[in-house]
Amino acid sequence: MDITEENVHGKWKEFILTNDHGMSVSILNFGGIITNMIVPDKYGKCENIVLGYNNYADYENNTNYLGAQIGRVASRIKDGSFHLNGSHYELAKNEGTHHLHGGPNGFHQIIWESGTHQSEHEVNLVLTHTSKHLENGYPGNLDISVTYTLNNSNELTLNYQAASDHDTPVALTNHTYFNLSGDMTDTVHNHRVQFDSRYFAELDEELIPTGKLIETTDTPFDFRNGRLLGDGLKSETTQQIIAGNGYDHYVMFGSEKAVTVSENNSGRTMKIHTNAPGVVLYTANGLDEGLKLNEGLSQKYAGVCFEAQPHPAALHHEGFPNVILQTEEKYHSYIKYSFE
């Protein structure tokens, strides 16, 4: 096990966590961004399986949120506003009239405080930050920590903790784009995905949840028996056309909060375990094309995101898991990525 630190882009630090089996994860203190994730394939060949920019400077305007930590609240908040405890809050609007992924100065755009720890069986990077009262419009001083832990079982775990001195919405997640093939010139059409998907949130033309939760049965959103992403990407349902001919939807878990993703050519399988109530499945339908990435130019469907989180549609609609962190509560969520 090892953890090293490098200065990059003249002002950031990049931490490289490495285990004894050829897996490594590279993380910036800027945005908590995962820039590389090296994982062996079925032949033992180690390749990068996440999308990242070739030039570190491109992360400064990371409108695709490649690899970034997202907060205070992931996903879109309708009209960039909400009511809480009798008060009205206006948030920074960075997608038309709406608020997306914490706003223009969200957690993907800050330099986090950092600390490391190493033991025989795992290495840890801890990033911390205090988001000030009314920053981007949110109430409360919010203390956050994100701990990245890599062990010798080829498991990367992200542990989120937070506390606030005001009641405030919190829904933290990571926005890494995965491509298990290790060939970033390939798309994710041949990635097979399986999870206990029970309901998905219907979207309007601006990708804002309407408040309606639709059963996944007999839809492209039913992954309970597993399906290739390509099958859904070929679908011409209204919901997928709205999302740019793909997935960009919040899907709620049933009893099992886990996702299994596999890619046959490489033989890689990734299992995601979380305590989040659902996941935003995003197949990079809106990924800007022609960006200079580590492995070549970006293209539509070049990666897939599994943004495990509660959803801020709860601020405007019933039926969605709560996103309000009370002052007397401690926020804790985790996402664990296991590779075989």
Side-chain angles (χ1 to χ4, degrees):
M1 304 297 296
D2 190 28
I3 183 166
T4 58
E5 176 183 331
E6 298 178 1
N7 293 318
V8 299
H9 193 42
K11 52 187 173 181
W12 303 335
K13 296 178 181 179
E14 184 171 46
F15 298 88
I16 303 172
L17 285 59
T18 307
N19 71 9
D20 298 332
H21 303 296
M23 180 174 173
S24 69
V25 183
S26 301
I27 304 143
L28 295 177
N29 66 340
F30 176 74
I33 293 167
I34 296 174
T35 60
N36 280 277
M37 192 179 296
I38 308 298
V39 178
D41 68 3
K42 61 185 176 182
Y43 303 109
K45 182 180 180 182
C46 293
E47 295 174 303
N48 178 36
I49 61 162
V50 302
L51 304 191
Y53 291 111
N54 185 57
N55 188 338
Y56 286 107
D58 290 337
Y59 286 110
E60 293 204 60
N61 185 32
N62 189 10
T63 55
N64 293 287
Y65 304 92
L66 296 190
Q69 296 298 349
I70 305 298
R72 292 186 187 190
V73 173
S75 297
R76 295 170 177 85
I77 296 180
K78 181 181 180 180
D79 298 328
S81 65
F82 63 93
H83 286 85
L84 179 61
N85 297 337
S87 297
H88 179 77
Y89 293 94
E90 287 286 336
L91 306 177
K93 297 175 177 62
N94 58 325
E95 192 178 65
T97 62
H98 309 300
H99 176 88
L100 174 64
H101 288 334
N105 301 309
F107 294 169
H108 66 293
Q109 288 286 295
I110 62 171
I111 296 179
W112 297 67
E113 296 294 324
S114 59
T116 61
H117 180 263
Q118 181 176 342
S119 69
E120 182 181 355
H121 302 292
E122 64 181 36
V123 286
N124 300 278
L125 169 66
V126 182
L127 299 182
T128 58
H129 175 67
T130 297
S131 177
K132 300 298 185 181
H133 178 55
L134 296 182
E135 187 175 277
N136 283 318
Y138 289 101
N141 295 293
L142 183 73
D143 295 321
I144 321 104
S145 70
V146 185
T147 302
Y148 303 72
T149 301
L150 176 66
N151 64 25
N152 266 331
S153 298
N154 282 5
E155 295 174 340
L156 174 70
T157 302
L158 307 184
N159 269 296
Y160 299 88
Q161 294 184 323
S164 174
D165 59 4
H166 287 67
D167 295 352
T168 191
V170 180
L172 307 175
T173 195
N174 180 266
H175 207 287
T176 292
Y177 292 73
F178 292 94
N179 187 323
L180 299 185
S181 73
D183 179 2
M184 298 307 169
T185 65
D186 199 4
T187 64
V188 295
H189 283 73
N190 290 322
H191 283 51
R192 184 174 181 82
V193 176
Q194 187 276 326
F195 66 100
D196 189 6
S197 54
R198 297 299 178 90
Y199 297 91
F200 73 94
E202 181 185 63
L203 301 178
D204 66 17
E205 295 286 347
E206 295 183 320
L207 302 181
I208 302 295
T210 65
K212 183 178 181 180
L213 290 169
I214 300 175
E215 289 190 17
T216 62
T217 303
D218 296 327
T219 76
F221 297 86
D222 190 350
F223 290 90
R224 285 173 288 187
N225 294 319
R227 68 189 311 149
L228 292 176
L229 288 177
D231 292 342
L233 298 179
K234 296 174 185 175
S235 174
E236 295 184 353
T237 68
T238 300
Q239 279 298 293
Q240 289 177 293
I241 292 172
I242 284 175
N245 297 106
Y247 296 98
D248 193 5
H249 295 74
Y250 186 61
V251 187
M252 292 178 63
F253 293 129
S255 57
E256 185 180 7
K257 298 178 180 180
V259 180
T260 300
V261 192
S262 59
E263 199 278 328
N264 188 57
N265 290 331
S266 69
R268 291 186 180 94
T269 294
M270 176 175 69
K271 294 185 178 180
I272 305 172
H273 291 86
T274 181
N275 62 345
V279 61
V280 173
L281 174 63
Y282 176 52
T283 46
N285 328 309
L287 179 65
D288 295 332
E289 298 195 350
L291 300 174
K292 294 181 179 179
L293 304 183
N294 286 337
E295 317 294 340
L297 298 180
S298 63
Q299 61 177 318
K300 191 173 182 176
Y301 310 130
V304 55
C305 300
F306 300 93
E307 304 162 51
Q309 60 174 94
H311 199 283
L315 295 170
H316 298 105
H317 302 288
E318 296 181 354
F320 289 83
N322 174 55
V323 294
I324 301 300
L325 175 65
Q326 306 286 338
T327 55
E328 67 275 11
E329 295 177 335
K330 302 293 184 184
Y331 180 96
H332 175 245
S333 66
Y334 72 89
I335 310 171
K336 182 171 71 173
Y337 308 97
S338 303
F339 294 92
E340 299 176 2

